Each structure stands twice: as C-alpha cells, then as structure tokens.
Amino acid sequence: MNDEAQVLRAHDSAALAQVLAELERTDSTQVVLLTVPSTNGEPIERFALQVARENGIGQAGANNGALVVVAVNDRKMRIEVGSGLEGRLTDALSSQIIRHEMAPRMKAGDVSGGARAGVEAVVKAIR
C-alpha cells in the first residue's frame, strides 16, 4: 500500500494493511493500493499498467496480483489485474467495484472510505 496522495485515514490504512497481509499470507496473492495526487496527464489505464509492471505485483510466473489506483485530483480510478487473477476478477467486475463501491464514496468526499471499500471488494472477489 502506498498513499502518495496522503488521503487514507489511519484506521482505514491499518485495516487495509491487515487485510492485504492476510490475503498474501493465506492465498499467495498480492493486492496493492496506490493513491496519487495525479497521473500528470497520463491516461489512468496506461499509468496503472506501467506501475504494475515496474513493481512486479504478484508472484513471479503466476502473475496473480492486482493494483488499485486512485488518482485523487484527476478523479480517476483503475483496477489493474494480472492474468493469473482474470478468471476471478474480471474487467466487468472491476468496473462494477469502481462504480458501486468506490465512486459513490469518493463523490461524497470520502476518498479514504472509497479506496478501502474498493480494495475490500477486490479481496472478496479474489477469495
């Protein structure tokens, strides 16, 4: 988890750290949350893919990682899914998580709660 935009409340950050560590320990699957102020004009899809590739999210060879990106000032969100998880976390499901779990909270001004809800929904889908 990397909160570069500094938007996560302490209790959300602590809860997410625990959930993500448990997922990795029990399922050998890695989910990472990244908040940034902006992608600086880069399309969120390209930005997320580049971050995922550069950081090698998931196990080598299994490609079983997912990256949840929130570009706060751009008001953009993206869930980038490794090929090893595509059967459980489809593009359609990722889109639903963004639309129904993340976006409403963020539009209401609760960026921290939206990020947490999105990550928790991703973890639930993977399990």
Side-chain angles (χ1 to χ4, degrees):
M1 183 169 37
N2 192 345
D3 185 20
E4 291 181 14
Q6 299 180 352
V7 294
L8 295 179
R9 292 183 296 258
H11 70 276
D12 287 331
S13 182
L16 285 174
Q18 184 176 7
V19 165
L20 296 177
E22 178 70 10
L23 176 69
E24 190 167 2
R25 186 183 67 76
T26 60
D27 296 28
S28 298
T29 301
Q30 192 175 47
V31 174
V32 175
L33 169 65
L34 171 64
T35 70
V36 294
S38 173
T39 64
N40 297 317
E42 185 84 21
I44 189 86
E45 299 82 4
R46 192 175 324 161
F47 179 85
L49 184 58
Q50 181 178 351
V51 169
R53 285 183 176 160
E54 287 176 0
N55 291 284
I57 298 170
Q59 289 182 325
N63 204 8
N64 63 340
L67 172 67
V68 180
V69 179
V70 178
V72 178
N73 296 336
D74 300 340
R75 297 182 179 175
K76 300 283 183 189
M77 296 159 273
R78 173 78 177 171
I79 300 172
E80 192 64 44
V81 180
S83 60
L85 292 178
E86 287 177 344
R88 291 181 277 172
L89 187 58
T90 63
D91 288 343
L93 181 54
S94 295
S95 179
Q96 287 178 357
I97 290 170
I98 290 171
R99 280 195 321 270
H100 299 294
E101 301 296 330
M102 299 174 74
R105 289 172 177 84
M106 292 187 184
K107 285 180 184 175
D110 185 8
V111 176
S112 185
R116 180 176 175 178
V119 170
E120 288 174 343
V122 164
V123 170
K124 182 178 178 184
I126 289 170
R127 288 204 160 138

